[in-house]
Structures are given as structure tokens and as C-alpha cells.
Amino acid sequence: MKIQTAEVVVCSPGRNFVTLVLTTDDGLVGVGDATVNGRELAVASYLRDHVAPLLIGRDAHAIEDTWQYLYRGVYWRRGPITMAAIAAVDTALWDLKGQAAGLPLYQLLGGRSRTGIRAYGHAQGQSVGALVDSVHALQEQGFTAVRVQVSTPGLGPGYGVPEQAQIGLYEPARSGAAPAEELWDAGPYLRNMPKVFDSLRSAFGPELSILHDVHHRLTPIQAARLGKSLEEYDPFWLEDLTPAENQQAFRLIRQHTTVPLATGEIFNTVFDYLTLFSEQLIDYARSAVTHAGGITGLKRILELASIHQIKSAIHGPTDISPIGLGAALHLDAAIHNFGIQEFMQHVDSTYDVFDVGYTFEHGQFQPGERPGHGVRFDIEAAKRFPYRQAYLPVSRLLDGTVHDW
């Protein structure tokens, strides 16, 4: 089974997506996701101009060899653009292999390790009352785990809270020549969050799993203070407390709190996690199939995590296409150290282009039984949704200093 064509499609049915479409000489079509939010055209060019020509005529079954060829052979390794491009190829090849075998992808990964894949949804509000309403709405959809984000008084909507909130949906990208800018001040945030968690536990009791994302905004000692202040409310986890590139920073956080910690959604390879894993400084690894070298790359990361009793929590925002989510669900079903799956819900127009085989009910996913990863891409439908320039926001401190968003 040889690769005959490799086409790169950029479209925007709700969000910008970069999709690789591989066709074999026996007529099978496999697809992979290469979306890098706000830098979509960079990875599209990388794929179209540098990777696609290398794929023509290659054995579509040779997944490991192709992965190493694109990783080691290029010399300039790692980074989000390179690893997203490799991920798209890898995911499309696994899709093709599953179709050729007539089996869903999870069967090729060793079969099921569980009967369902628990997911968490996104709740948000500009006030605690609005946040409570958002959580209630997600519970009605079957979620038993919810990520909660709320505005800090005096700072505007803030991370994870849009100005016009749709329950269960959050569209952070902004069309146009420049990103939106958000204000950040750690002081009022740190004073406010214990009050928020106290209100949530009062409203929902101890059974609801409550997650919170700080999005890299605290220093290590501020992160330690937050974890310590929230322990009594039993968070499921605190996510991205501080920029995790400084892996040693998590030693300080661990010294001061027993709240479970999650990080890694911007990580691309296993090397980003070595200290975090070996010293058990986190509890959940957050990389995505789309950004960590595909099924092959992420499976390596999670296998190393399992040795250190660290669980998976694969990144699932709306700037990862249903292809990336669909592939992740098959990995979720197969690995032993599954923790939870993020589920940020796409808008309806996304499903005009992506036909999914997975299902969600009662707070859990099923990956589906279609051969391959089960997500199909409609190239003709994609033409109705041309690329639109869009960026994630930028964060600034009150004095104007650019901060981590």
C-alpha cells in the first residue's frame, strides 16, 4: 500500500483547521490533524512544501519508519510546527492501517482497556452565579467532571471566560490583524479563587469533580499558595499553574500542596516531561495527539508516564479538529493509565466538514467501530469555509507588561 497523493487543506468551519489527506494506490483515504492555533499557515506550509513531497511512493504501513524519517531525518527536531506536521502524517497513517485491516484504531493499539472514556466539559461565567448556571447545564448533558473558569472582579472577562458566554462553548480566537488583550493581576485572583471553590462545593457537594486551569500565569510560590488555599475543596486538579518549561519549579509546588497537578498541553515530545515524570511532580500529562507527534509520539509519552503512576489527560480544545479528538479517543480506550479526556465542544459548522464516528453520552465517550480512527473529512464541504486570520489573546499586567496567556 503506497502513498499516492498528499493534500493539505486549511479551512475554518468555526475554527481554523489544518488537515492532511493521504490517498493510497488502492484508493484508501486517511486524514490527520496538524492545527497550530494562530500559526496555521506555518504548519500548512511545512506540510505542503517540505513533508508532502517526501511521502509520495512511501509504504503507508511503515508508520514507525516514517515517524523516525520525519523526526530524525530533518535534523531540526521538536517544536510545535514540526511535531504537528509529524502528528498529521502519523495519524493519517494509523487511519489508513486501520482501514486496511478493517479494524478500529484502538484494536491495533492492543484493544480496549475500559468500557467508556470519561470526559470533562468547560464551564465559565463572569460571576459565580453565571458559573454555577454553566455547571448545571453541563451536568444536564451528563458531565460528572467540569473545568471551571470565572472572571476575577475588576479585571474583565479573563482567561476561559468570553464576553458573550455560550454555555459549554468558548471561542477564544479573534479574527483580524491583531489579538485581543486581557488584563491579569495575581493578587485579586488568588484572593478570589477560594471563595469561588467554596461556592461551588456549597452548590454541588463533594461528588462533582472540579478542575481549574491557571494557564501558566503564576510564579511557583504563588502556585503553591493557590494549591494550599484550595486543598479543603478537593479539586480534581489544578492545571498549568506555572510555565512548565521550568520543570524544576514543580518541586516547590509539590512541597506545599497535595492537590493533583496537570500540565503539558503545550509540550511536544517526551523530553519536555523528563523531570516532571522521574520526580513524580505532576499527576496528569496533558499533551495532544495533534501537537505531540501523533499516536506514535503521544503513546511514547504516556507509556513513560505510566511507569511513574502518572495518568493521561489528553488536550481536547476546539482548535484541535475532530480528527485529533477522534484519534485521542482510540488511545484513551487502549492505554492502561487513562485519567480523563478534555471535551471542548465544537460548533455545528465544524461537523459539516468532519463526519465523526465517536459518540458522547452520560459523561463518557465511545470511540466508535469504524475502521481507522473513524473521522472522515469532506474536502468539498471544507471549501465553503475559507481560512480566516485569527489569534488567541495576549495577556498584560496592569502596568502593561506582556504576561503569559
Side-chain angles (χ1 to χ4, degrees):
M1 186 169 66
K2 303 293 185 182
I3 299 171
Q4 192 169 63
T5 64
E7 184 175 358
V8 180
V9 181
V10 183
C11 63
S12 188
R15 294 290 289 267
N16 288 325
F17 300 114
V18 180
T19 305
L20 176 67
V21 183
L22 298 183
T23 305
T24 66
D25 54 4
D26 52 3
L28 295 180
V29 178
V31 291
D33 179 27
T35 308
V36 177
N37 198 343
R39 298 296 184 268
E40 298 90 354
L41 299 184
V43 71
S45 174
Y46 190 109
L47 274 170
R48 185 182 294 116
D49 299 330
H50 302 292
V51 174
L54 304 177
L55 300 176
I56 307 307
R58 289 188 66 85
D59 180 3
H61 282 303
I63 296 175
E64 179 67 23
D65 183 71
T66 299
W67 197 98
Q68 299 294 349
Y69 181 77
L70 296 176
Y71 179 80
R72 298 180 188 277
V74 73
Y75 184 69
W76 305 106
R77 303 177 186 178
R78 304 168 66 186
I81 304 301
T82 295
M83 298 310 293
I86 292 174
V89 176
D90 184 80
T91 302
L93 292 179
W94 277 108
D95 191 22
L96 287 169
K97 188 180 284 288
Q99 292 179 53
L103 293 171
L105 177 55
Y106 73 81
Q107 293 287 16
L108 303 184
L109 299 174
R112 281 184 181 269
S113 289
R114 57 199 43 83
T115 57
I117 298 162
R118 189 188 188 202
Y120 70 90
H122 287 202
Q124 65 278 314
Q126 293 190 37
S127 66
V128 173
L131 177 61
V132 168
D133 290 342
S134 184
V135 174
H136 275 302
L138 289 174
Q139 285 185 315
E140 291 175 0
Q141 296 177 34
F143 287 97
T144 61
V146 178
R147 191 195 79 166
V148 297
Q149 307 296 135
V150 67
S151 299
T152 300
L155 296 182
Y159 170 70
V161 185
E163 292 186 24
Q164 300 293 327
Q166 284 182 271
I167 291 175
L169 299 173
Y170 173 46
E171 171 54 85
R174 173 180 174 179
S175 298
E181 296 190 0
E182 298 175 353
L183 290 177
W184 171 256
D185 187 351
Y189 165 81
L190 288 168
R191 292 189 293 271
N192 189 52
M193 287 312 299
K195 302 173 187 176
V196 173
F197 268 75
D198 185 68
S199 296
L200 291 170
R201 281 294 175 224
S202 296
F204 298 102
E207 298 304 319
L208 179 69
S209 294
I210 301 176
L211 303 76
H212 177 61
D213 186 358
V214 185
H215 227 243
H216 312 107
R217 298 190 177 198
L218 298 176
T219 65
I221 196 64
Q222 289 171 341
R225 174 184 163 189
L226 178 67
K228 189 172 182 179
S229 72
L230 296 181
E231 277 186 11
E232 64 180 293
Y233 304 109
D234 189 28
F236 184 90
W237 78 36
L238 293 175
E239 177 184 348
D240 289 341
L241 285 169
T242 194
E245 298 95 310
N246 179 13
Q247 297 183 40
Q248 294 83 353
F250 281 74
R251 294 172 183 156
L252 176 63
I253 301 169
R254 277 293 208 212
Q255 290 172 10
H256 292 281
T257 182
T258 59
V259 170
L261 305 177
T263 200
E265 68 183 46
I266 64 169
F267 286 174
N268 310 122
T269 72
V270 71
F271 299 104
D272 298 312
Y273 285 101
L274 290 182
T275 299
L276 295 172
F277 285 176
S278 64
E279 299 185 24
Q280 295 182 300
L281 298 178
I282 61 172
D283 303 279
Y284 295 90
R286 296 273 293 120
S287 290
V289 169
T290 298
H291 301 136
I295 293 291
T296 300
L298 186 52
K299 192 169 187 290
R300 286 200 184 97
I301 291 171
L302 296 179
E303 285 172 344
L304 182 60
S306 71
I307 295 172
H308 301 284
Q309 297 177 286
I310 295 166
K311 294 183 177 182
S312 73
I314 298 176
H315 194 208
T318 50
D319 54 298
I320 286 174
S321 83
I323 294 170
L325 176 59
L329 294 175
H330 286 269
L331 194 55
D332 288 332
I335 60 174
H336 177 260
N337 59 323
F338 170 76
I340 200 166
Q341 171 64 53
E342 182 178 20
F343 181 28
M344 190 176 179
Q345 301 174 55
H346 291 100
V347 297
D348 290 343
S349 59
T350 301
Y351 299 108
D352 293 337
V353 175
F354 299 91
D355 175 33
V356 303
Y358 56 77
T359 57
F360 178 78
E361 189 176 12
H362 305 306
Q364 294 193 333
F365 277 108
Q366 294 295 335
E369 297 300 314
R370 292 179 180 177
H373 57 56
V375 181
R376 305 294 173 247
F377 178 70
D378 188 333
I379 293 181
E380 291 304 313
K383 294 176 181 177
R384 304 201 308 267
F385 302 96
Y387 166 80
R388 60 186 177 92
Q389 188 179 44
Y391 297 101
L392 293 173
V394 170
S395 180
R396 290 186 184 272
L397 302 179
L398 298 184
D399 68 359
T401 303
V402 174
H403 193 60
D404 295 290
W405 186 83

